[in-house]
Amino acid sequence: MIRGHNGLMRADRLLSILLILQTQGRATGRELARRLEVSERTVHRDMEALSAAGVPVYAERGPAGGWRLLEEYRTQLTGLNEDEVLALFALKPPQLLADLGLGRAAENALLKLLAALPASRRREAEHARQRLLIDGSRRDEPVPWLPLLQAAVWEDRRVRLHYPSGGGPPGERVVDALGLVVRGQAWYLVARREGVLRTYRVSRVAHAELLPERFTRPPGFDLERYWRQARSEFQAKLPVYPVLARLEQHAFERFGLVGRWARLEHAEPDGEGWLRARVRFEVEEDAVAWALSLGDRVEVLEPPELRRRVVRELVKALRRVKKSRPRGGSAGSEAT
């Protein structure tokens, strides 16, 4: 949302700086500039303004330096702008919070926060709540061990997991529970085992036991950075089945309905409302299912073996239809 008054924008930014320093203790000028989407020069001017207003901010030099607040200083400013109200009251994923056992606690917290807001902000919160809902339901994956894993993550505790490896039965392993990630319809545990970071799908955990010993988190570990890197590496290892095809524009608009690991790499007009597209699938079966689902609105150009496979499947389907057609029948049954 664009705000027309520079003073209001700067006030929001100064409050954000205070809350960042108060919660994490230290932040470099570069980090603050990145998070606030301003220049480092602007951050320096903001620090001068805070200092002039009596806020005890100071800079430390050296590799571990940055901007800090005096430890005893705490701001009581808790004003929320319209965008922040929207984020809190409209974008709460109810099923994910329920998975963590925090559904009721989240509702109570939001009720308390709502009661503390000025009347104008309460109206904005209700406005957002009635117009936007993110439903993170994922009932197809039971996660009975999630609360125990959450406790391990919160307390830096070790966990004994019984987890399948490959196609075999669950095996036992002791891991350091570092973090939990939810993506799409699945929860994942990020853990360290024998010094190596690994990812476990929570729904596949057959049994989990919280162990008494605690562990020391890896220095510099960042959950979001690790997850992005691990996801990129996983996707890079996936098998690739490239396809070149011609398809109608309307069929192209339905492309999002295709399999999980399909990717559109390139598409350009090919005349008369058709497109020439390069599509990447994970396996041949996904490409066959996609082509068959579009019928005469797609023409597979490459690879040749996929063209032949699609033709064979269509011929078999036609034979089944002819074989199942009832013989004879009354004249009236053929009337149109």
Side-chain angles (χ1 to χ4, degrees):
M1 180 172 296
I2 299 176
R3 295 175 177 81
H5 197 286
N6 290 337
L8 288 177
M9 294 178 66
R10 191 183 193 196
D12 278 350
R13 196 169 65 243
L14 294 177
L15 177 57
S16 296
I17 290 174
L18 278 176
L19 295 176
I20 290 171
L21 295 180
Q22 185 170 299
T23 55
Q24 71 182 48
R26 179 190 68 88
T28 65
R30 178 176 300 179
E31 178 186 358
L32 290 170
R34 177 183 59 81
R35 293 181 64 172
L36 301 172
E37 298 180 345
V38 296
S39 67
E40 291 188 53
R41 183 185 297 272
T42 298
V43 169
H44 187 77
R45 287 199 297 265
D46 287 345
M47 291 303 182
E48 290 179 344
L50 288 171
S51 181
V55 177
V57 293
Y58 64 97
E60 287 185 344
R61 307 296 181 184
W67 291 99
R68 291 183 179 273
L69 277 172
L70 288 181
E71 292 185 3
E72 63 271 15
Y73 181 84
R74 287 292 181 269
T75 177
Q76 299 301 317
L77 296 176
T78 56
L80 296 175
N81 62 39
E82 186 175 350
D83 291 345
E84 292 160 347
V85 169
L86 174 66
L88 286 172
F89 288 91
L91 302 183
K92 57 185 181 70
Q95 183 55 48
L96 303 183
L97 291 170
D99 285 344
L100 295 171
L102 298 175
R104 179 62 61 84
E107 291 295 333
N108 290 341
L110 288 176
L111 284 174
K112 292 176 181 177
L113 181 57
L114 185 63
L117 288 174
S120 61
R121 289 295 185 248
R122 286 200 296 272
R123 287 192 296 270
E124 290 166 2
E126 182 63 17
H127 183 93
R129 193 179 69 84
Q130 293 296 340
R131 285 164 175 79
L132 183 60
L133 173 67
I134 305 299
D135 184 0
S137 299
R138 28 148 303 283
R139 288 298 181 188
D140 57 332
E141 281 210 350
V143 283
W145 298 106
L146 182 61
L148 183 144
L149 297 176
Q150 179 199 359
V153 167
W154 250 245
E155 300 171 16
D156 293 338
R157 298 269 291 277
R158 289 199 166 97
V159 180
R160 180 176 288 110
L161 296 180
H162 291 261
Y163 193 85
S165 178
E172 183 179 295
R173 61 210 69 189
V174 174
V175 302
D176 300 338
L178 298 172
L180 288 165
V181 176
V182 61
R183 182 173 188 265
Q185 296 183 342
W187 280 96
Y188 296 89
L189 171 70
V190 176
R192 180 178 57 184
R193 181 188 176 205
E194 298 177 351
V196 180
L197 296 178
R198 303 175 186 271
T199 304
Y200 302 93
R201 191 161 180 147
V202 175
S203 63
R204 299 184 64 198
V205 174
H207 184 79
E209 178 186 352
L210 191 62
L211 300 178
E213 58 262 32
R214 300 178 184 272
F215 63 88
T216 302
R217 296 178 69 83
F221 172 76
D222 183 273
L223 181 61
E224 183 178 359
R225 189 185 309 120
Y226 164 79
W227 179 255
R228 291 184 184 279
Q229 180 180 348
R231 189 175 63 183
S232 297
E233 292 175 354
F234 172 75
Q235 291 177 344
K237 294 176 182 177
L238 289 174
V240 176
Y241 189 84
V243 172
L244 177 64
R246 290 181 68 244
L247 64 156
E248 286 185 351
Q249 178 69 38
H250 294 309
F252 171 76
E253 292 169 355
R254 293 181 55 200
F255 184 80
L257 302 177
V258 80
R260 182 177 179 185
W261 296 113
R263 295 290 185 274
L264 176 67
E265 295 187 329
H266 180 72
E268 60 184 14
D270 196 21
E272 299 181 359
W274 284 65
L275 296 174
R276 189 181 181 92
R278 291 194 176 274
V279 189
R280 184 183 68 187
F281 295 89
E282 183 179 348
V283 292
E284 181 180 307
E285 283 69 21
D286 286 345
V288 172
W290 174 72
L292 292 175
S293 71
L294 295 177
D296 63 354
R297 289 170 292 182
V298 65
E299 177 190 0
V300 175
L301 303 177
E302 297 176 3
E305 64 269 18
L306 178 62
R307 284 175 59 92
R308 292 190 290 268
R309 172 86 179 273
V310 171
V311 170
R312 288 198 303 270
E313 295 295 332
L314 289 173
V315 169
K316 288 194 294 185
L318 182 59
R319 287 173 179 169
R320 283 194 295 271
V321 170
K322 289 181 177 180
K323 187 176 180 180
S324 62
R325 180 181 298 171
R327 298 179 180 180
S330 64
S333 63
E334 298 294 328
T336 58

